[in-house]
Amino acid sequence: GEDFVVTPWEVRGRVDYDKLLQHFGARRLTQAEVSILERYAGEVHPLIRRGFFYAHRDFDAILKWHGEGKPWALYTGRGPSGPVHIGHMVPWILLKWFSDKFGLEVYFQMTDDEKFYDDPDMKLDEATGWAYENALDIIALGFTPDKLHLIVDTKDIKPLYPIAVRVAKKLTWNTVKATFGFTDSTNIGLIFYPSLQIAVAFLPTELRGQPTPVLIPCAIDQDPYFRLARDIADGLGYPKPATLYSKFIMALTGESKMSASNPDSAIYTIDDEKTVKRKIMNAFTGGRPTAEEQRKYGGDPDICPVFHYHMLFDPDDASVEKIRQDCKSGAMLCGECKLRLYEKITRFLKDHRERREKARGRVDEYRISVKL
Ligand code: SF4
């Protein structure tokens, strides 16, 4: 039996990230590659420095490409089926950093079609509505319309469709069935859908009329899509997309992944302060059953979602290291640690919510079709 399962749709069990790399065939990020990044960017983002983004395909090649003065772009996506939680924002924060450091344009696909195909109860208008609502969280990161190109699939298909058609011709039923686990009862929308997700990887090349590879920062479970994209790129005359893979965001409840069916497992950007506090104070921890034991033996930050969020949202290395030490030594108890996290997250969310509301009504300015 397998002790863990990872697909684009589910994560179960305790994940062995090394085994996962072997399974997918991606490479661990090396210090040499991080040093090259540092040379170009002037710094290394904490999410990379702390090993949260830990693996890749051709990240070294795209840095080399950059060094030769050639154009590249960023690509990521979001399945809009509900509110955004702060875990969703983590790769987007890195995306914004890359965009700023390297002056890159961002192609951001909102897959309202896929969410509609995938969820029997989802209405199409509803999924598209979520795309607009979720776009507020992306714009709130501080993008300007010349750098962010939102693609709402059901609205902005025009530039994508000719590419998707070429992609679809290269993908057989056998291939997508094996890659995504489709069955005879899978609707044909879902079966076609990978061609659309892959098409965005080739879009910047079409728009610029010259080879423009993309870098895709995402969680490692998205690898199957982009492995396919890489397999067919050559045959279609496009450069292969590069990827940068993260580990998974821990659920506050201690489960292996956050789930929409359990809203307490994640902090949503629209949660009010009271809700955020309740979720953090009720979170699973790596602490001991009693304060006395904790003082004596210390806690385990490695399995603790509270520590995980300190690591993700505190830009100060020394502060994160101090939390780790104070946890392990028993100098700090979980209650205090949680309060400190609550303060950090509240500060982040307060600014975020203001910028988010400012973006309301302005989403169309960021949509790609407006500019075509
Ligand atoms: Fe987690 Fe903080 Fe408790 Fe350590 S002290 S187990 S990091 S909540």
Side-chain angles (χ1 to χ4, degrees):
E2 291 173 69
D3 11 319
F4 66 97
V5 175
V6 173
T7 73
W9 291 282
E10 73 167 330
V11 178
R12 255 192 289 127
R14 193 167 176 161
V15 178
D16 179 330
Y17 286 103
D18 281 319
K19 260 199 199 157
L20 210 52
L21 280 193
Q22 281 167 22
H23 170 72
F24 283 137
R27 288 197 3 237
R28 185 170 273 280
L29 203 56
T30 65
Q31 192 46 54
E33 288 151 356
V34 174
S35 298
I36 296 169
L37 173 65
E38 185 169 18
R39 182 140 49 80
Y40 290 135
E43 61 173 3
V44 176
H45 194 278
L47 290 168
I48 296 176
R49 208 165 58 216
R50 294 173 191 167
F52 183 67
F53 277 83
Y54 81 115
H56 70 101
R57 290 184 189 272
D58 272 353
F59 182 59
D60 50 338
I62 211 160
L63 287 177
K64 187 159 173 273
W65 179 271
H66 172 81
E68 292 162 0
K70 296 175 186 162
W72 51 301
L74 297 163
Y75 165 29
T76 196
R78 154 89 185 141
S81 57
V84 162
H85 59 62
I86 61 173
H88 293 129
M89 307 235 9
V90 166
W92 306 348
I93 289 167
L94 187 69
L95 195 80
K96 178 65 167 55
W97 180 84
F98 269 106
S99 174
D100 289 346
K101 292 289 167 190
F102 292 89
L104 301 172
E105 291 177 41
V106 174
Y107 295 82
F108 204 118
Q109 185 176 34
M110 310 297 274
T111 64
D112 56 341
D113 50 352
E114 191 239 351
K115 284 297 153 194
F116 171 65
Y117 293 140
D118 188 45
D119 178 350
D121 301 323
M122 178 70 76
K123 300 206 169 54
L124 184 54
D125 284 357
E126 205 185 326
T128 309
W130 279 120
Y132 272 77
E133 191 62 24
N134 293 173
L136 302 178
D137 288 297
I138 299 154
I139 296 168
L141 288 168
F143 285 108
T144 49
D146 62 318
K147 283 289 186 279
L148 177 63
H149 308 295
L150 290 174
I151 300 162
V152 181
D153 277 348
T154 58
K155 304 243 171 219
D156 303 315
I157 193 70
K158 201 172 167 187
L160 277 191
Y161 194 60
I163 308 171
V165 164
R166 289 188 209 111
V167 169
K169 196 173 178 178
K170 294 278 180 194
L171 296 177
T172 66
W173 165 235
N174 264 332
T175 303
V176 295
K177 187 168 63 170
T179 308
F180 302 109
F182 295 148
T183 67
D184 285 355
S185 59
T186 304
N187 68 61
I188 63 170
L190 274 179
I191 295 165
F192 174 74
Y193 170 72
S195 22
L196 221 54
Q197 179 153 342
I198 291 169
V200 183
F202 305 143
L203 182 63
T205 295
E206 286 290 341
L207 294 178
R208 281 180 165 261
Q210 63 173 309
T212 309
V214 293
L215 174 68
I216 307 166
C218 59
I220 180 108
D221 60 337
Q222 295 299 303
D223 184 61
Y225 282 107
F226 305 119
R227 212 164 49 209
L228 282 191
R230 291 170 53 82
D231 285 349
I232 61 174
D234 256 353
L236 292 171
Y238 294 120
K240 281 184 165 54
T243 55
L244 195 54
Y245 292 130
S246 75
K247 299 174 182 174
F248 302 119
I249 309 269
M250 281 173 146
L252 280 176
T253 41
E255 293 143 317
S256 45
K257 204 181 181 185
M258 288 173 292
S259 74
S261 58
N262 182 2
D264 280 358
S265 65
I267 294 164
Y268 293 88
T269 62
I270 53 171
D271 281 346
D272 61 26
E273 290 188 9
K274 228 178 100 198
T275 308
V276 172
K277 190 164 195 175
R278 179 180 53 77
K279 286 180 177 180
I280 291 177
M281 295 320 279
N282 289 340
F284 174 84
T285 72
R288 302 277 174 177
T290 67
E292 198 177 40
E293 281 173 82
Q294 177 109 348
R295 294 253 181 248
K296 201 161 163 197
Y297 305 110
D300 183 357
D302 292 336
I303 61 155
C304 178
V306 175
F307 181 74
H308 188 68
Y309 279 89
H310 277 298
M311 184 277 290
L312 292 173
F313 284 92
D314 189 334
D316 182 355
D317 285 350
S319 150
V320 176
E321 193 44 38
K322 176 118 177 42
I323 293 166
R324 182 200 296 277
Q325 291 309 333
D326 288 351
C327 168
K328 286 172 108 170
S329 70
M332 180 170 57
L333 298 183
C334 295
E336 185 196 337
C337 189
K338 285 170 162 178
L339 271 179
R340 287 169 62 181
L341 178 66
Y342 165 69
E343 280 157 21
K344 255 173 228 172
I345 300 288
T346 314
R347 228 176 296 134
F348 168 79
L349 281 182
K350 191 172 169 288
D351 294 346
H352 181 75
R353 266 193 292 258
E354 278 169 22
R355 290 194 298 262
R356 193 179 184 280
E357 284 315 309
K358 274 200 198 128
R360 197 173 286 284
R362 294 186 50 213
V363 173
D364 285 338
E365 291 170 38
Y366 294 83
R367 268 179 51 214
I368 193 165
S369 59
V370 176
K371 281 163 274 169
L372 279 175

